[in-house]
Amino acid sequence: MKINDVDFETYLKNYPTKDGYFGKYGGSFISDDLKKAFKEINDAYLTICKSAKFISELRRIRKEFQGRPTPLYHCERLSQSVGSGKVQIYLKREDLNHTGAHKLNHCMGEGLLAKYLGKKKIIAETGAGQHGVALATAAAYFGLECEIHMGIVDVRKQAPNVARMKVLGAKVIEVTDGEGTLKEAVDSAFISYSKQYKDAIYCIGSVVGPHPFPMIVRDFQSVVGIEAREQFLEMTGELPDVITACVGGGSNSAGLFIPFLNDPVKIVGVEAFGKGKDANSASITYGSEGVLHGFNSIMLKDEKGNPGLAYSIASGLDYPSVGPEHAFLYDIGRISYEGITDEEAIDAFFKLSRLEGIIPALESSHAVAYAIKLAGQMDHGSILVNLSGRGDKDLDYVIEKYGKKYIM
Ligand SMILES: *Cc1c(COP(=O)(O)O)cnc(C)c1O
């Protein structure tokens, strides 16, 4: 399949380019010191990703430690309850991956890469703490030191995740500069890494950041779409009509989407519309081109053109930019992006819990909500949703805020 001169049959060979570009998006806007360090990671990755030993070791870890392949599940009761009742909704169960979300898919890959590079330590930042927990898990598995930079405001808000990281043996560095949130944590982690890159590796939490991370994380997450495509064909004998996933930085969605790019399948990313136009994290819908955290993409901006504040009820979605590959695939028209509000996500959270016995993460609830909305507008067909994570982490908040409305 070809769109606007982009040939999807050979897509993975050509995107990103050697310098990390997807069209005009991506690249590497960082200091020379960091460039040198990231080039080492890039070169090692390009060698290792073709090594039979690396691939078979990663396959073993995925099976024995992570519990892959995760199941594909047909939501019969949910499907019957929507619109004509004839549109079939399926879930790729990443919530059943060890630690309860898709993030471990790339963290275990990054950990194995660190091992092959002979590094002793993993350095990263975290916002809500989900990436920090997944990485601390990988570090424990591989016997690596783990240093997680986290804004002081986030440390206070996300106490359970801070506790998890510490139990797993990670060192949590509280960043007090500026606003004390993710942006400062990224700066702090970059600085720490540039001082010790001979012994350490930097690991990013989504398909964002400077080259080669959008490529590496995409490749490690692609296991989701490769499995789901095979499982869907086996279960139904066909490909799905529509596939969808929530988009924060864009890793779980890229993981599902990329293996379907060359198929006659409609692909929809779901951004968080939050409370509407004035408080959301819909970078593609409301943003414009700009550089943030070392890469060029489509980002939210304030009136002065500085990075805007992102908001969503789902802390994993409130990132003010998006992976460069999403910006590119949106520009050329291969993927479309829709928005789901906080309220719609909460509704889907309870629907899936009560009709199927699956409590989804608030992030994933956005994708479920979109599938429900779309199913209501179709006569027949099938929709495959990436259920990126489980909702246990969100229960306290949901009960406190929405208990009165939904629970008798
Ligand atoms: C972090 C997270 C997300 C958002 O990140 P992406 O990189 O966009 O996938 C989505 N769902 C869950 C469960 C998460 O933990």
Side-chain angles (χ1 to χ4, degrees):
M1 178 165 36
K2 235 175 160 176
I3 299 179
N4 291 332
D5 288 336
V6 178
D7 186 350
F8 289 104
E9 210 161 325
T10 53
Y11 177 82
L12 285 176
K13 279 204 191 93
N14 303 321
Y15 296 92
T17 63
K18 225 167 63 295
D19 305 324
Y21 279 92
F22 303 88
K24 62 181 170 176
Y25 302 111
S28 180
F29 299 80
I30 44 177
S31 70
D32 286 345
D33 265 0
L34 274 178
K35 266 201 182 128
K36 219 165 88 190
F38 284 2
K39 186 173 180 313
E40 184 195 74
I41 296 177
N42 181 57
D43 293 350
Y45 174 72
L46 290 179
T47 313
I48 275 164
C49 72
K50 295 187 203 92
S51 136
K53 205 169 144 221
F54 182 85
I55 293 168
S56 72
E57 179 64 0
L58 188 58
R59 206 169 275 160
R60 187 186 67 76
I61 291 168
R62 282 173 172 164
K63 180 165 174 234
E64 294 173 8
F65 183 66
Q66 287 182 238
R68 302 205 70 89
T70 56
L72 178 75
Y73 173 70
H74 180 201
C75 298
E76 286 188 42
R77 294 202 341 110
L78 178 66
S79 303
Q80 274 163 20
S81 79
V82 185
S84 69
K86 282 189 252 164
V87 180
Q88 305 306 321
I89 299 174
Y90 296 81
L91 303 177
K92 177 61 173 163
R93 298 286 311 272
E94 288 305 293
D95 60 316
L96 295 177
N97 200 17
H98 178 44
T99 71
H102 70 286
K103 284 198 173 70
L104 203 63
N105 296 334
H106 64 256
C107 287
M108 294 308 287
E110 288 173 328
L112 190 60
L113 184 60
K115 244 349 216 199
Y116 270 71
L117 277 167
K119 305 289 185 189
K120 296 184 183 64
K121 188 174 187 178
I122 301 185
I123 300 175
E125 74 291 324
T126 192
Q130 297 296 105
H131 175 53
V133 170
L135 207 55
T137 303
Y141 177 93
F142 290 107
L144 297 161
E145 279 176 62
C146 185
E147 177 184 307
I148 304 289
H149 296 247
M150 192 169 183
I152 185 76
V153 173
D154 290 327
V155 170
R156 292 198 190 113
K157 265 206 246 172
Q158 309 288 344
N161 276 342
V162 175
R164 275 183 202 113
M165 285 185 263
K166 288 183 176 169
V167 166
L168 289 160
K171 184 169 165 199
V172 178
I173 303 214
E174 302 180 357
V175 181
T176 53
D177 307 338
E179 311 275 317
T181 58
L182 180 65
K183 183 182 174 306
E184 293 79 17
V186 172
D187 294 339
S188 169
F190 272 5
I191 290 169
S192 174
Y193 172 60
S194 66
K195 286 182 193 150
Q196 46 183 330
Y197 71 85
K198 292 225 157 46
D199 294 319
I201 187 171
Y202 179 77
C203 288
I204 221 152
S206 186
V207 287
V208 298
H211 181 61
F213 291 102
M215 169 182 72
I216 293 181
V217 173
R218 170 196 74 182
D219 291 356
F220 286 140
Q221 284 295 343
S222 293
V223 66
V224 174
I226 292 169
E227 283 177 11
R229 194 176 177 282
E230 238 171 64
Q231 291 168 318
F232 201 95
L233 280 168
E234 191 182 303
M235 193 182 277
T236 70
E238 304 170 350
L239 287 170
D241 294 304
V242 184
I243 63 174
T244 187
C246 64
V247 178
S251 66
N252 87 86
S253 49
L256 179 69
F257 296 167
I258 299 293
F260 286 93
L261 282 180
N262 195 38
D263 292 318
V265 168
K266 185 175 156 64
I267 305 181
V268 186
V270 181
E271 296 196 302
F273 268 10
K275 296 185 169 72
K277 194 164 186 328
D278 296 324
N280 61 73
S281 47
S283 323
I284 291 184
T285 307
Y286 291 119
S288 55
E289 188 178 345
V291 172
L292 180 69
H293 298 156
F295 67 104
N296 187 42
S297 188
I298 301 178
M299 62 186 249
L300 294 175
K301 293 176 184 167
D302 63 17
E303 315 79 59
K304 290 184 193 138
N306 295 319
L309 272 187
Y311 162 81
S312 167
I313 192 171
S315 55
L317 300 183
D318 67 359
Y319 185 61
S321 185
V322 68
E325 191 164 17
H326 284 280
F328 172 66
L329 291 167
Y330 165 73
D331 264 13
I332 64 165
R334 179 62 187 99
I335 302 184
S336 51
Y337 293 81
E338 302 281 344
I340 285 293
T341 64
D342 288 355
E343 301 296 323
E344 291 171 315
I346 288 289
D347 225 52
F349 174 91
F350 279 101
K351 255 200 189 112
L352 191 69
S353 298
R354 290 174 178 186
L355 288 170
E356 300 290 350
I358 298 169
I359 303 177
L362 284 178
E363 291 82 3
S364 326
S365 301
H366 285 71
V368 175
Y370 174 71
I372 292 171
K373 207 179 202 176
L374 182 66
Q377 298 158 8
M378 288 162 63
D379 281 344
H380 55 87
S382 59
I383 306 172
L384 167 60
V385 181
N386 195 12
L387 200 74
S388 55
R390 66 173 183 230
D392 308 45
K393 67 182 177 60
D394 302 312
L395 280 181
D396 289 349
Y397 176 81
V398 171
I399 297 288
E400 188 190 313
K401 199 136 180 251
Y402 294 92
K404 272 213 189 77
K405 183 171 169 197
Y406 286 91
I407 296 170
M408 284 174 290

